[in-house]
Amino acid sequence: MKRHTFSRRDVIRGSTAIAASGAFASVTSAAPPASAVTPQLIAAAKKEARVVYYTSIDLPVAERIAKAFEAKYSGIAVRVERSGAERVFQRIGQEYASRIHSVDVVNSSDAAHFIVWKREGMLEPYLPDDVAQYYPAEHKDPDGAFASFRAWLCVIGYNTSMVKAEEAPKSYADLLEPKWTGKIVKAHPSYSGTIMTATYQMARDLGWDYFEKLSKQKVMQVQSSADPPKKLALGERAVMADGNEYNMFIEKEKGTPVEIVYATEGSPLIVGPNALFKNAPNPNAARLFQSFCFSPEAQQLCIDVAGLRSLHPRTKEKPGRKPFGEIKKMKDDPAAVERLSEEIKARYSKLFGV
């Protein structure tokens, strides 16, 4: 029996294999037929009575989704196992190496993980009706192995008590102006998957010479993509060069004097897919839960509770937020991110001295 153990090298190799054809590329394109939620599926899921969800989404959000599912399908319990994306990846590798099959459905903020799992034959193709009908091709695997469950942007931001709206930066180029020297906070690609993805997209679209110029701006360097919004909120820096859009939404809704800027060059797009495992112990409950995750109901929860973006057109934007479709976005390419991740870390650390 094949034993599955994974490392970053596996991710890189899996990503490189399909890098030329895009993040959700496929050679076979053998998608299963779309699957509706039927009385038969619900009955089979209730016999299993549980579903195990490994996820890197924020725990309060994952628990809200689990509770909504349990309320809709009484008698089926959702066990949420929340950890960072890399830990989720390593845990599954270790479990499968020991022939332990605990996970039913997985979510990760690192889309390259799904490339590896798919290549290893570990994912169970399943195409929920909502994904088949409403999701754009670039956000669903052609073979039905996974699809983008959640999306968010990496954005510029500023403290409105320290910067007037008319003086705020409107672009990445604006951050290079002398007036922002010593006033910028930025997260690091070696610590944050979001920033790794954003750094790749920006280096591709703006060039590494942009980062070379930015590194001369006496930037405050932090780790997580959630840290720059916090530094803005505390007034420790006037402007952030990058950070999670959803953290900025949360700060704004708390009444914190911060504002989001969607760069004129485009904002980096980050996605977190969902998938089913072939050896899922509760396969019917897994299918039902996967269908629920891509339903307008669950997607709306992601928007309302987490400040995330949805690719489902039947969801509604929260009032006060700029509509997702109106924002210029850089193109995501998880395969290329993983292929170049070590180079990105090395070049960035050399420039910023951290």
Side-chain angles (χ1 to χ4, degrees):
M1 179 179 288
K2 191 171 187 178
R3 293 168 67 81
H4 301 279
T5 53
F6 301 123
S7 65
R8 172 122 336 241
R9 184 182 298 275
D10 289 302
V11 182
I12 294 169
R13 189 170 70 250
S15 303
T16 304
I18 68 161
S21 7
F24 290 179
S26 170
V27 258
T28 55
S29 291
S35 295
V37 173
T38 63
Q40 291 82 4
L41 177 62
I42 296 170
K46 288 191 173 185
K47 282 183 181 177
E48 293 167 351
R50 65 181 308 204
V51 60
V52 179
Y53 187 40
Y54 285 12
T55 181
S56 63
I57 200 170
D58 290 347
L59 185 58
V61 181
E63 288 180 338
R64 283 288 294 273
I65 291 168
K67 284 180 170 53
F69 176 83
E70 290 170 347
K72 185 167 187 175
Y73 301 107
S74 60
I76 309 173
V78 180
R79 195 179 95 205
V80 174
E81 296 283 348
R82 195 273 164 194
S83 192
E86 192 61 26
R87 289 186 181 181
V88 168
F89 182 70
Q90 294 298 338
R91 177 177 178 178
I92 290 171
Q94 289 162 4
E95 288 181 350
Y96 269 65
S98 303
R99 300 177 186 176
I100 296 169
H101 303 136
S102 298
V103 59
D104 290 309
V105 181
V106 68
N107 165 261
S108 174
S109 56
D110 190 337
H113 293 164
F114 295 82
I115 296 166
V116 175
W117 289 324
K118 179 184 174 184
R119 187 198 70 218
E120 292 292 314
M122 296 167 67
L123 300 182
E124 178 68 25
Y126 180 72
L127 188 61
D129 251 350
D130 280 285
V131 174
Q133 287 187 53
Y134 300 111
Y135 277 63
E138 63 268 27
H139 287 289
K140 55 187 175 188
D141 174 62
D143 301 323
F146 52 88
S148 298
F149 166 64
R150 55 188 171 118
W152 62 103
L153 298 169
C154 189
V155 296
I156 297 173
Y158 64 96
N159 183 305
T160 58
S161 297
M162 303 170 75
V163 180
K164 294 178 181 177
E166 59 271 22
E167 296 174 356
K170 304 294 189 294
S171 66
Y172 289 113
D174 288 349
L175 296 177
L176 304 179
E177 294 177 6
K179 69 178 181 179
W180 301 123
T181 303
K183 297 179 180 179
I184 299 172
V185 61
K186 190 182 182 311
H188 200 294
S190 290
Y191 298 94
S192 167
T194 292
I195 303 304
M196 169 62 76
T197 297
T199 303
Y200 163 75
Q201 292 180 28
M202 290 171 65
R204 178 196 62 201
D205 295 1
L206 307 179
W208 274 104
D209 58 329
Y210 172 76
F211 286 105
E212 185 175 356
K213 293 171 186 173
L214 185 64
S215 69
K216 296 171 182 173
Q217 288 288 70
K218 297 180 181 176
V219 173
M220 174 193 275
Q221 188 70 65
V222 293
Q223 294 185 358
S224 167
S225 53
D227 290 339
K230 293 173 185 175
K231 295 297 183 184
L232 281 195
L234 293 169
E236 291 185 27
R237 281 296 185 271
V239 173
M240 70 178 201
D242 55 25
N244 288 327
E245 179 192 41
Y246 59 83
N247 288 113
M248 289 292 281
F249 285 147
I250 291 167
E251 290 294 342
K252 284 185 69 174
E253 287 167 10
K254 287 194 305 191
T256 306
V258 297
E259 190 54 73
I260 295 168
V261 173
Y262 299 104
T264 55
E265 299 95 337
S267 296
L269 173 66
I270 325 292
V271 299
N274 254 32
L276 273 63
F277 273 84
K278 196 165 283 183
N279 290 317
N282 307 291
N284 294 295
R287 292 181 180 91
L288 187 62
F289 185 73
Q290 180 80 330
S291 287
F292 178 76
C293 282
F294 287 96
S295 68
E297 180 182 351
Q299 289 292 302
Q300 194 65 51
L301 268 177
C302 288
I303 294 170
D304 296 343
V305 176
L308 292 164
R309 300 292 190 159
S310 174
L311 299 161
H312 200 309
R314 291 179 62 197
T315 55
K316 293 181 181 178
E317 300 279 3
K318 202 165 182 180
R321 296 177 186 172
K322 186 169 184 177
F324 194 46
E326 293 179 12
I327 300 168
K328 183 179 179 182
K329 296 175 279 291
M330 293 182 177
K331 186 173 175 57
D332 65 317
D333 189 346
V337 171
E338 285 303 323
R339 179 167 51 90
L340 299 170
S341 63
E342 296 308 315
E343 179 188 334
I344 290 169
K345 290 176 187 176
R347 293 187 74 164
Y348 185 93
S349 294
K350 185 178 179 181
L351 287 173
F352 286 84
V354 286

